[in-house]
């Protein structure tokens, strides 16, 4: 806290003000005297053995499937973390499923995008917490020792043993009582409602009697009693008590057989449950361990512990996806959207949750529970020994319906191989006809009858395909062959392919002899910034900022070291064999104005490219899209939740994000209402497969369309969902050279697919009377909902909100983009800089320039650097060809994308993002002439310096803010102190810090080296030691490198601190700590050995890879 | 461009949920900061500097559907006593500190405005205060963008004397009057959405609106007057995800200016609602019922945060204490921290959950002027202290020209001072 006290007329330091407040009362004593914890929470979880036959009955009753046991629970218990999967989710929404679904599956998680950053719960663990207090809360306006009186929980999962202790509590402040959450067998909605009322009434009575912990339990389920869905009971009670002003009087603890997946626990806590004891899940885990179904040898106790660990990790991930760091504030935060639930039910039991397509009511909810209950307690005797097969994750006979069936895949592949449009139509019929079982929202929309136009008057295929793009897939997640084949095909069509994150080999910028091009027109800018160099940026027709990905929005990624081959490392500007981590947020986008700044940066370095922003569908995406439009993006991409992935946690694939129909329609409505639709284009992707899909997308407001999974299928993908295992049998999604040799895809296949889709779209257009796609965009009036009278659940869905056409008070609103973004005029400073640098740009003649600079001068140097690389290639100009001396305060992104040959010096200070994506050159920052303060005590540059830099040097005579050199992969830097999270996610380069560091230094640092001057010898307390070792500087090579850098630092900045160290080198050298990533050292050693053996690096990485 | 109001939009520009749109999912963000003089002596230069800072942060704000409507900006300053003494008022101004000023946005409908004014007057008197009189705030509507003008309120200042109130209770009583007025107008049949109390205090006054930084001093002529002096100015420049011209959501609010986002808002709102039943305070006594509901849920996350903070401060906690309670540091085992401070945070965790999310919060109650960051330092803040006693804090450095030899020190988060 920074505080000015106008009465005392001084600045009060943070530690003074906080110490004073913290000692106002004897809080420490109050805590010591009143703290209540569950003793035994750290003892191994006791393992409840189930009675024979009882477990399977319970499993049926709570809807366990065989698939869940195998794919979810067993991996959690075996490895202590959530299982990982790949490809997108193409199963039906819960409300369309004929089979009884848990109420949990009608909710989707929300996640942070643009307006707030998700957190990395692993690398920034120190800010996360699962602690909470359970019990009666007192008047917040007062403070007494008794205010701290609840039960302190270290995490919200209670074992059966823990719950027993809670029940037995003799503490006067902790009185627990059971309330059954059951309703009569075969009951309907009315019975369910009455049962809920009874629960609420009982809760009120118990609170009045002084109980402070209400244990909702479905343990007494039997033949005549069905468990109320635990989420409905808990959230309903939570809201009921809020309305009655009683919520803080007692805690809600849930003992339920229903909860088992991370999503279930997240929902329960997010809707106001204080703690959960999942007794059937525990029994199941016990059973799996005893019967040897875990795949590893483990005692039931260990399995239980690991299962709980997996849930805890999953909860942290769920919270951090939304940017929430403590479970205390996640509690009751309702970071979810309901999809397919009736509004009355939501308003009453899940108050203030978004539910936009209506759906099931209490009747259907009761019916689903009763169906499950009857499987557990059949009227005629014993339950089946076999559980339901499931099929939510993989297509299974007799399981959930998926769109990509074996037949559909086969037909599509045959159609594109043999260029058979008739066969393609058979494929689309399989996909589009969902009359038997609906899977997608769009299957519920139908076209109105309209006056048709002749097919030949409709915009030709060649023109339509230009609106098509292939979805972003990184080279790394799919094989080189696949990546290049797609690029060639899209370039032939005049459409666009997407590089995905992870850079692109510059060799692909050169045309092939036959005129083909492997260059991806769209270059993605993702949070890892791998391979994002000046050269990469200027070789794009479109720069796409990937905010989120449909399969795992709000999460980062990790490419394990063994997958980082020499080729991938080269393209990404990293070291082979070193793990690459993409952080969950873009560290230069924590907020909407930051996004505007990144867009400004990209348009500065490459003024020719359009800039797009990729978002994922969720409630509120429309308002974010409006913010994106105001940030001057040219296009916004709305991705569906069902987009593919190379590797994501299964729960993310399944439970985050929404269908694109909702996101797209919301975006369209929001842009129109805000009068912004005419200035931004809208693109959509997410399991688009047919001409009908594209027609509906256009009518809902999209003017461009992306295809991902379908493209892979044309190239041979058979949806084995093994991308994350590197064992793709058709060579599409693997880096294994043996498997890659099996790749049999051809550009023609992709081309044919795109043309077929365009052709089919034309047929719909003719039928609907549209001659051009532009005419068609946003015409929701041509669509109408197709009511499904037959289906007991789907018939309740109401899509009218999707079809609403908003007014904007401005006559007939524009439905599609009509304005082209004009290229931003150079700022006066840019113009002057370009003019003065002309001799260097044109004739490589050295120039020296002096100019004033202000904070409103942003991204200075990028315009110049873009030009240098365009004219002279990635190598730029010889060192120091252009020297610019600025005086004043440099604005954000100073020296972003800096090219070799440019030296920028500021006398003054600089703001955030200095040297972002720096590719070469030199930046020097020194205090202003005449300043009398001590540089090494004062902050001179802002946060997030050198984000994603791949080269160049930086010398800063002063302290930098937070996240210095985050994701640096090649720049070297000297600085006099850094804030928290220094060198986070660094993969290469060298950083020297000759002053204080903040907390969490080197978190996620997998490569590069840091030298830290540490006279306190306490650096290890501020360093995150998960991935790095600390050493002294003993190696003469290291010493020489360090000394050389300090000498240059002194030469460029006249740093007093550097001089002091250099003047007495032998005394100060031992005070330096070398921060060495463990991975990196191994890779370097391996490479050195290979060099000694005089072999190529490629061979070394083969070895790494095969290991 | 002719601008009509939308069918689902009220006179203040707020839009009801319709189709797939729901205003609850709007976001905003911005540039934020303050200028202060350590000697506490009011100066006009502080106001001029604050406006200069706003102009230099303009790229962090945004303009909406028409080029001249900003998303909003404003300054929160000490009551400029000398200035109010210099303008023509039809009543006698008591000594400094002996009167309160309400900065009131009134409905553009004249009749309705009168009703609102009468209501405020009646409430002040019913609660025991003294109505001194009104001052029309001179504004220049001509410079507004079309969108901003379509919902522009009438701006007037209500001057209130303490009457039967003790000076110690002055702020609290003004708070009670404001809450009562807000609750009352909401029950009227007419569209009273334009009615808004930007500030009501004997210490501070808030000048804000749907303006760009450059428009601010022209729109509010007061700000240009050399006698308009303050020892500090809290400032804010807004960037919202919509283009809807809602004047009341411009910042600062009554205590804070917020750059960031409260991710856990729904949970915080629910728990504050749940707390209302148990609220009790000797300072408020029976008045406690008059201030409910504590939160105005139609506001933005920042506005709702301000509501909750205000309650804690009015009930007796110091402003820094309340900030530490609502935006606590991480105090987990991996954080090195004093035992007393750790205990403070754990104790308060049992009282209130964090209002979590990336944030730079600048705040003032007239005595303290400060800023704090979220536990992860996810929003930027830089400050400079000069040798002649000026403090400038903002989202960026270099927002004010300061001679190098005059700089005493410069800092940002994560270093020098431990921030949050």
């Amino acid at each position: 806290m920074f505080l000015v006290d106008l009465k005392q007329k001084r600045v009060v330091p943070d530690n003074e003000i906080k110490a004073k407040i913290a000692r106002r009362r004897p809080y420490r004593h109050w805590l010591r005297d009143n703290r209540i914890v569950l003793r035994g929470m750290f003892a191994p979880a006791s393992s409840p053995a189930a009675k024979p036959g009882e477990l399977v009955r319970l499993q049926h009753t709570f809807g366990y499937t065989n698939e869940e046991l195998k794919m979810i629970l067993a991996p959690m218990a075996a490895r202590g973390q959530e299982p990982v999967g790949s490809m997108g989710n193409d199963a039906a929404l819960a409300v369309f499923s004929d089979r009884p679904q848990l109420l949990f599956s009608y909710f989707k998680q929300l996640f942070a995008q643009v307006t707030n950053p998700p957190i990395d719960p692993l690398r920034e663990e120190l800010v996360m917490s699962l602690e909470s207090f359970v019990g009666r809360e007192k008047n917040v306006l007062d403070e007494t020792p008794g205010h701290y009186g609840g039960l302190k929980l270290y995490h919200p999962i209670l074992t059966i043993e823990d719950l027993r202790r809670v029940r037995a509590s003799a503490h006067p402040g902790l009185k627990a009582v059971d309330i059954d959450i059951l309703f009569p067998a075969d009951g309907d909605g009315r019975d369910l409602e009455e049962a809920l009322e009874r629960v609420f009434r009982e809760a009120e009575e118990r609170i009045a009697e002084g109980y402070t912990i209400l244990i909702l339990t479905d343990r007494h389920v039997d033949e005549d009693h069905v468990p109320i869905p635990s989420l409905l009971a808990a959230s309903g009670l939570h809201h009921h008590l809020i309305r009655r002003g009683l919520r803080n009087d007692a805690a809600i603890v849930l003992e339920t057989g229903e909860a088992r997946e991370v999503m279930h626990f997240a929902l329960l806590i997010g809707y106001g449950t204080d703690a959960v004891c999942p007794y059937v899940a525990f029994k199941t885990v016990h059973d799996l361990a005893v019967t040897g179904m875990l795949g590893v040898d483990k005692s039931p106790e260990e399995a239980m512990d690991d299962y709980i660990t997996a849930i805890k990790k999953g909860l942290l991930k769920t919270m951090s996806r939304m940017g929430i760091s403590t479970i205390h504030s996640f509690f009751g935060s309702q970071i979810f959207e309901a999809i397919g639930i009736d509004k009355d039910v939501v308003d009453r039991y899940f108050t203030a949750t978004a539910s936009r397509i209506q759906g099931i009511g209490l009747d259907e909810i009761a019916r689903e529970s009763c169906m499950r209950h009857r499987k557990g307690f059949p009227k005629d005797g014993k339950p089946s020994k076999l559980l339901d097969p499931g099929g939510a994750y993989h297509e299974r006979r007799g399981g959930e319906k998926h769109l990509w069936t074996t037949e559909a895949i086969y037909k599509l592949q045959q159609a594109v191989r043999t260029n058979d449009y008739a066969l393609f139509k058979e494929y689309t019929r399989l996909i589009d006809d969902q009359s038997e079982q609906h899977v997608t929202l769009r299957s519920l929309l139908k076209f109105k009858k309209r006056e048709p136009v002749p097919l030949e008057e409709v915009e030709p295929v060649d023109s339509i395909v230009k609106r098509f793009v292939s979805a972003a897939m990184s080279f790394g997640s799919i094989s080189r062959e696949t990546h290049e084949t797609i690029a060639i095909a899209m370039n032939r069509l005049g459409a666009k392919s997407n590089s995905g994150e992870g850079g692109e080999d510059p060799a692909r910028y050169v045309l092939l002899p036959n005129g083909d091009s492997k260059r991806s027109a769209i270059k993605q800018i993702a949070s890892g910034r791998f391979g994002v160099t000046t050269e990469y940026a200027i070789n794009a027709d479109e720069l796409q900022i990937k905010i989120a990905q449909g399969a795992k929005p709000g999460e980062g990624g990790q490419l394990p070291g063994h997958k980082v081959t020499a080729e991938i490392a080269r393209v990404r500007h990293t070291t082979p064999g070193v793990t690459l981590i993409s952080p969950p947020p873009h560290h230069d986008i924590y907020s909407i104005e930051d996004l505007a700044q990144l867009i400004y940066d990209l348009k500065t370095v490459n003024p020719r490219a359009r800039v797009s922003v990729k978002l994922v569908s969720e409630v509120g995406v429309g308002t974010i899209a409006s913010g994106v439009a105001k940030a001057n993006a040219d296009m916004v991409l709305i991705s569906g939740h069902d987009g593919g992935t190379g590797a994501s946690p299964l729960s993310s694939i399944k439970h985050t994000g929404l269908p694109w129909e909702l996101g797209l329609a919301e975006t369209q409505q929001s842009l129109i209402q805000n009068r912004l639709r005419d200035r931004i284009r809208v693109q959509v992707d997410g399991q688009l497969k047919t001409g009908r899909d594209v027609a509906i997308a256009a009518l809902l407001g999209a003017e461009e369309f992306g295809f991902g999974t379908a493209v892979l299928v044309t190239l041979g993908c058979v949806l084995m969902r093994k991308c994350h295992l590197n064992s793709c049998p058709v060579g599409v999604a693997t880096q294994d050279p043996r498997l890659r040799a099996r790749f049999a895809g051809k550009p023609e296949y992709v081309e044919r697919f795109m043309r077929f889709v365009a052709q089919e779209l034309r047929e719909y257009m003719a039928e609907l009377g549209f001659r051009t796609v532009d005419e068609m965009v946003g015409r929701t009036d041509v669509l109408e909902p197709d009511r499904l009278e037959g289906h007991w659940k789907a018939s309740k869905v109401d899509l009218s909100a999707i079809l609403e056409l908003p007014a904007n008070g401005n006559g007939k609103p524009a439905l599609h983009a009509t304005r082209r973004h004009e290229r931003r005029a150079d700022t006066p400073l840019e113009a002057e800089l370009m003019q003065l640098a002309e001799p260097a740009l044109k004739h490589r003649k050295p120039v020296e320039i002096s100019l004033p600079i202000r904070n409103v001068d942003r991204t200075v140097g990028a315009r110049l650097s873009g030009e240098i690389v365009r004219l002279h290639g990635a190598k730029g100009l010889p060192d120091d060809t252009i020297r610019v001396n600025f005086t004043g305060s440099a604005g954000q992104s100073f020296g972003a994308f800096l090219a070799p040959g440019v030296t920028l010096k500021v006398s003054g200070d600089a703001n955030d993002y200095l040297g972002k994506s720096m590719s070469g050159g030199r930046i020097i920052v020194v205090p202003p002439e005449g300043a009398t303060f001590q540089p090494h005590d004062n902050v001179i540059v802002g946060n997030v310096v050198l984000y994603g830099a791949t080269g160049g040097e930086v010398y800063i005579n002063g302290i930098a803010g937070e996240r210095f050199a985050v994701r640096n992969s090649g720049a070297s830097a000297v600085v006099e102190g850094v804030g928290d999270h220094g060198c986070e996610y660094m993969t290469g380069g060298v950083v020297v810090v000759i002053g204080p560091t903040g907390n969490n230094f080197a978190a996620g640092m997998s490569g590069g080296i840091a030298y830290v001057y540490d006279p306190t010898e306490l650096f290890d307390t501020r360093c995150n030691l998960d991935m790095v070792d600390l050493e002294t500087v003993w190696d003469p090579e290291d010493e020489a490198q360090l000394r050389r850098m300090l000498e240059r630092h002194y030469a460029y900045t006249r740093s007093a601190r550097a001089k002091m160290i250099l003047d007495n080198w032998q005394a100060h050298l031992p005070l330096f700590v070398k921060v060495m990533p463990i991975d990196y050292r191994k890779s370097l050693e391996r490479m050195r050995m290979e060099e000694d053996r005089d072999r190529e690096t490629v061979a070394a990485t083969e070895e790494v890879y095969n290991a | 461009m002719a601008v009509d109001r939308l069918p689902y939009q009220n006179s203040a520009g707020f839009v009801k949920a319709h189709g797939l749109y729901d205003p609850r999912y709007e976001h905003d963000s911005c540039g934020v900061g303050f200028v202060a003089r350590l000697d506490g002596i009011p100066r006009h230069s502080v106001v001029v500097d604050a406006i200069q800072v706003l102009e230099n942060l303009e790229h962090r704000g945004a303009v909406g559907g028409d080029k001249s409507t900003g998303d909003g900006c404003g300054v929160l300053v000490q009551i400029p006593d000398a200035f109010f003494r210099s303008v023509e008022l039809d009543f006698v101004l008591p000594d400094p500190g002996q009167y309160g000023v309400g900065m009131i946005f009134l409905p553009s409908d004249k009749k309705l405005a009168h009703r609102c004014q009468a209501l405020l007057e009646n409430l002040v008197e019913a609660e025991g205060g003294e109505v001194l009189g009104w001052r029309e705030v001179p504004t220049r509507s001509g410079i507004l963008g079309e969108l901003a003008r379509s919902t522009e309120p009438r701006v007037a200042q209500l001057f209130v004397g303490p009457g039967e109130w003790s000076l110690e209770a002055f702020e609290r009583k003004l708070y009670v009057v404001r809450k009562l007025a807000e609750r009352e107008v909401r029950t009227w049949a007419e569209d009273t959405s334009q009615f808004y109390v930007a500030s009501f205090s004997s210490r501070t006054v808030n000048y804000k609106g749907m303006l760009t930084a450059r428009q601010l001093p022209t729109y509010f002529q007061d700000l240009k007057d050399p006698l308009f002096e303050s020892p500090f100015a809290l400032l804010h420049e807004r960037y919202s995800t919509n283009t809807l011209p809602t004047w009341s959501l411009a910042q600062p609010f009554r205590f804070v200016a917020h750059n960031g986002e409260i991710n856990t808002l729904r949970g915080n709102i629910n728990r504050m609602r749940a707390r209302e039943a148990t609220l009790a305070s000797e300072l408020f006594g029976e008045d406690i019922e008059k201030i409910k509901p504590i939160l105005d849920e139609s506001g933005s996350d920042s506005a709702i945060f301000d509501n909750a903070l205000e309650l804690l401060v009015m009930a007796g906690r110091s402003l820094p204490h309340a900030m530490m309670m609502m935006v606590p540091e991480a105090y987990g085992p991996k954080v090195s921290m004093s035992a007393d401070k750790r205990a403070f945070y754990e104790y308060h965790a049992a009282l209130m959950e964090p209002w979590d999310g990336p944030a730079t919060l600048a705040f003032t109650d007239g005595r303290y002027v400060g800023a704090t960051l979220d536990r992860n330092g996810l929003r930027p803040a830089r400050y400079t202290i000069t040798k002649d006693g000026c403090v400038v804090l903002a989202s960026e450095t270099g927002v004010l020209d300061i001679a190098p030899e005059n700089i005493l020190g410069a800092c940002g988060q994560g270093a020098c001072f431990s921030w949050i």
Side-chain angles (χ1 to χ4, degrees), chain A residues 474-551:
Chain A
S474 70
F475 161 57
S477 71
I478 57 175
S479 66
R480 195 177 98 183
E481 292 74 14
T482 315
H483 207 272
E484 294 182 349
T485 306
I486 295 172
I488 291 172
M490 296 310 273
N491 285 330
R492 283 187 194 164
L493 289 168
K496 294 195 193 88
S497 65
N498 191 320
S499 65
E501 61 177 303
E504 186 161 279
D505 189 342
R508 288 172 62 171
Y509 304 154
V510 186
L511 288 187
L512 298 179
N514 70 355
D516 273 340
S517 168
K518 295 176 177 179
R519 168 183 176 274
S520 302
I522 307 170
K523 299 272 191 300
Q524 214 174 35
I525 313 286
S527 66
R529 302 289 155 94
F530 292 108
V532 179
T533 62
T534 316
E535 188 187 24
Y536 176 85
I538 64 161
N539 274 294
D541 302 333
E542 173 178 325
L543 288 161
Q544 179 171 87
I545 302 169
K546 171 185 146 184
I547 297 292
Q549 179 179 340

Side-chain angles (χ1 to χ4, degrees), chain A residues 778-836:
Chain A
R779 290 292 302 275
T780 49
D781 55 311
V782 174
L783 288 169
E784 61 188 348
D786 192 359
R787 284 265 173 190
L788 301 168
E789 298 308 338
H791 194 282
W792 59 290
K793 289 196 292 188
S795 61
K796 311 271 178 182
V797 169
D798 175 6
L799 293 185
S800 53
I802 289 185
L803 299 181
E804 187 183 297
L805 185 67
N808 68 1
N810 197 18
K812 206 170 163 220
L815 298 178
H816 63 97
T818 51
R819 276 200 268 174
R820 272 191 73 83
H821 261 290
E822 283 148 39
R823 189 174 150 172
R824 172 173 73 81
D826 285 355
T827 64
L829 183 72
E830 274 169 350
E832 200 174 351
L833 201 54
M834 293 300 286
Q835 197 200 342
L836 293 171

Side-chain angles (χ1 to χ4, degrees), chain B residues 16-223:
Chain B
K16 285 197 301 245
H18 65 91
L20 292 174
Y21 173 83
D22 190 328
R24 285 182 306 181
Y25 296 94
E26 289 291 356
H27 303 273
D28 58 2
S29 223
C30 44
V32 66
F34 66 76
V35 179
R37 302 296 302 206
L38 289 176
D39 57 17
I41 297 171
R43 288 179 174 82
H44 183 59
S45 66
V46 168
V47 180
V48 174
D49 283 351
I51 290 165
Q52 180 66 49
V53 172
L54 278 174
E55 280 184 24
N56 283 336
L57 289 175
E58 201 152 29
H59 55 269
R60 301 183 78 93
V63 289
D66 70 55
K67 284 288 167 200
S68 43
T69 296
D71 282 357
C73 77
V75 287
L76 178 65
V77 296
Q78 191 180 70
I79 288 182
D81 182 71
F83 169 73
F84 284 136
R85 281 180 203 288
S86 74
V87 297
E88 207 173 303
L89 297 173
D90 49 13
F91 52 88
V92 180
L93 204 60
D95 287 343
Q98 307 276 324
Y99 64 94
V101 181
M103 186 78 172
I104 317 287
F105 291 178
L106 292 166
S108 29
D109 178 284
K110 270 196 184 139
K111 243 171 84 186
L112 201 54
H114 279 304
R115 254 185 91 189
C116 291
Q117 286 178 291
L119 170 74
L120 275 170
E121 291 173 16
N122 292 340
L123 286 170
V124 168
E125 280 172 1
E127 289 298 311
E130 181 194 356
V131 174
L132 296 171
W134 289 87
R135 170 177 181 258
E136 286 294 317
V137 178
T139 53
R140 279 227 186 131
S141 309
I143 62 158
L144 294 178
E146 298 263 9
L147 283 165
R149 209 180 315 168
S150 69
T151 54
E152 183 196 3
R154 215 180 96 207
V155 188
Q157 285 165 337
L158 171 63
F159 288 74
V160 177
E164 302 162 10
W165 303 331
S166 71
L167 280 181
E168 182 271 325
F170 205 172
E171 288 296 289
R172 204 158 43 242
K173 287 292 180 184
L174 293 173
Y175 171 54
V176 170
V177 169
R178 192 192 92 221
K179 294 300 281 187
L180 285 172
E182 287 171 357
R183 191 161 74 186
E184 172 68 23
V185 297
R186 232 173 277 144
T187 64
W188 295 356
E190 295 91 340
D191 177 356
T192 55
S193 55
Q194 276 177 301
F195 174 77
Y196 174 75
V197 181
S199 65
F200 201 13
S201 164
S202 62
R203 296 172 187 163
T204 56
V205 63
N206 195 1
Y207 282 77
K208 68 173 185 180
M210 282 293 289
L211 304 160
T212 63
R214 271 160 236 278
Q215 288 169 344
L216 183 70
T218 313
Y219 182 77
F220 288 118
Q221 292 285 300
D222 291 3
L223 297 177

Side-chain angles (χ1 to χ4, degrees), chain A residues 18-19 22-23 25-32 35, chain B residues 331-332 335-347:
Chain A
K18 285 185 175 160
R23 293 182 180 129
R25 311 263 170 161
Y27 296 116
R28 198 155 43 82
H29 294 270
W30 290 359
L31 254 57
R32 196 188 51 202
R35 184 182 285 138
Chain B
Y331 60 93
V335 182
S336 91
M337 177 181 282
S338 97
D340 283 337
K341 196 159 79 166
R342 196 187 297 277
F344 170 89
Y345 285 127
E346 186 173 334
Y347 175 81

Side-chain angles (χ1 to χ4, degrees), chain A residues 75 91 127 184 192 255 343 387 391 408 425 490 502 660 806 842 889 891 919 1083 1087:
Chain A
V127 300
L192 179 57
E255 182 184 38
K343 202 171 169 305
L387 291 180
K425 296 286 278 187
M490 296 310 273
W660 58 254
K842 290 215 169 125
S889 289
S919 303
S1083 291
M1087 282 165 71

Side-chain angles (χ1 to χ4, degrees), chain A residues 6 57-58 144 219 233 539-540 569 679 829 867 878 915 960:
Chain A
L6 292 172
R57 201 185 269 284
L58 288 172
T144 67
R219 203 168 34 135
N539 274 294
R679 53 162 116 157
L829 183 72
E867 258 332 86

Side-chain angles (χ1 to χ4, degrees), chain A residues 639-701:
Chain A
S639 242
H641 66 131
D642 41 10
T645 173
S648 297
L650 279 179
S651 66
S652 315
I653 297 178
K654 206 77 198 163
H655 302 301
T656 52
L658 287 172
W660 58 254
E661 291 91 329
L662 278 165
L664 173 61
E666 190 192 326
T667 297
Q668 178 76 358
Q669 291 173 10
S670 175
L671 288 173
I672 292 173
Q673 176 179 295
N674 285 308
R675 303 177 180 90
L676 295 165
R677 184 61 181 94
D678 58 331
R679 53 162 116 157
I680 188 163
R681 290 173 73 83
V682 177
Q683 189 180 93
V684 73
D685 71 16
Q687 298 293 344
L688 294 181
K689 298 182 186 70
T690 67
R692 183 177 189 275
D693 288 349
V694 174
I696 299 230
L699 294 172
L700 289 179

